[in-house]
Amino acid sequence: MGNAELLRLFDGLRVADVRDGLDWAGLHAKGTVSPDVTPLWQGARMTGIARTMRLRPSEKAVPPLTPEEYTEWAGRWYREIYPNRITPTIEQGDIVVIQSAGLPVGEVGSNNSLEWHAAGATGVLTSGGVRDTDECIMQEVPIFCRYRAQSMVQGRVEFDSLQVPVDIGGVLIRPGDIVVADGDGVVAVPVEHAETVAKYARQELDNDKIGRRRIYEQLGRPLDDSVL
């Protein structure tokens, strides 16, 4: 099954529906990312195919430098130690999924998240931190993260690898798995179970709409997309 077809299966499904679908598929202990990974801004939601990246803490010492020397040294860090290898690989409908180095560093910011979005990513999921958060919120690229941070990566974080299984909030997410995120948090679906999970998630969503639409009508409340 191609990515476009996978995405159609999950179109419009909420995290709660997908969680239920995982249960229907017998995957009760799988998929739910730790609740400390949350949306950066209220209303953020995303569905996509995991494109993974793993980062690691650096043990390299930062030498004594003048501010002018530091500019050159920092640029070299980005070119050689922390190169941007993921942007050219992103396909439409991907979600950038990052296993963080776990330091108080903003590995995601307003620049790289917007660049990934422009390349086709529907959003960003990281087990670490985000900085430039005011701009990130203004740009409305969905970002789910563990904390807000201030520091840049140079002298602290190194690129490790692309398209490898990553640990996000206690869930192993592999390249190609389905990720769904909204106000209820983040859930990941192993791609080999995607069809079954989506089928029963859709069943739950449809039943929910029927039940709530009946109450809407009882209350005389205008119908909205959540019940249609």
Side-chain angles (χ1 to χ4, degrees), residues 205-217:
L205 175 61
D206 290 345
N207 287 339
D208 179 82
K209 285 184 174 184
I210 291 170
R212 290 194 303 111
R213 184 166 63 242
R214 187 180 304 121
I215 301 171
Y216 266 50
E217 291 167 348

Side-chain angles (χ1 to χ4, degrees), residues 111-189:
N111 195 321
N112 57 7
S113 61
L114 190 62
E115 179 179 277
W116 297 333
H117 181 64
T122 60
V124 182
L125 168 63
T126 174
S127 61
V130 177
R131 67 179 219 155
D132 317 323
T133 55
D134 290 340
E135 287 79 16
C136 289
I137 293 167
M138 178 191 68
Q139 291 171 175
E140 295 188 337
V141 176
I143 298 174
F144 287 71
C145 61
R146 181 165 274 141
Y147 47 84
R148 301 177 187 222
Q150 298 179 357
S151 301
M152 299 175 75
V153 300
Q154 66 267 25
R156 302 178 177 94
V157 177
E158 300 180 6
F159 170 82
D160 186 307
S161 51
L162 281 183
Q163 291 293 74
V164 295
V166 293
D167 173 6
I168 306 293
V171 173
L172 187 71
I173 300 180
R174 304 162 305 168
D177 286 345
I178 312 300
V179 175
V180 179
D182 62 21
D184 284 350
V186 182
V187 67
V189 179

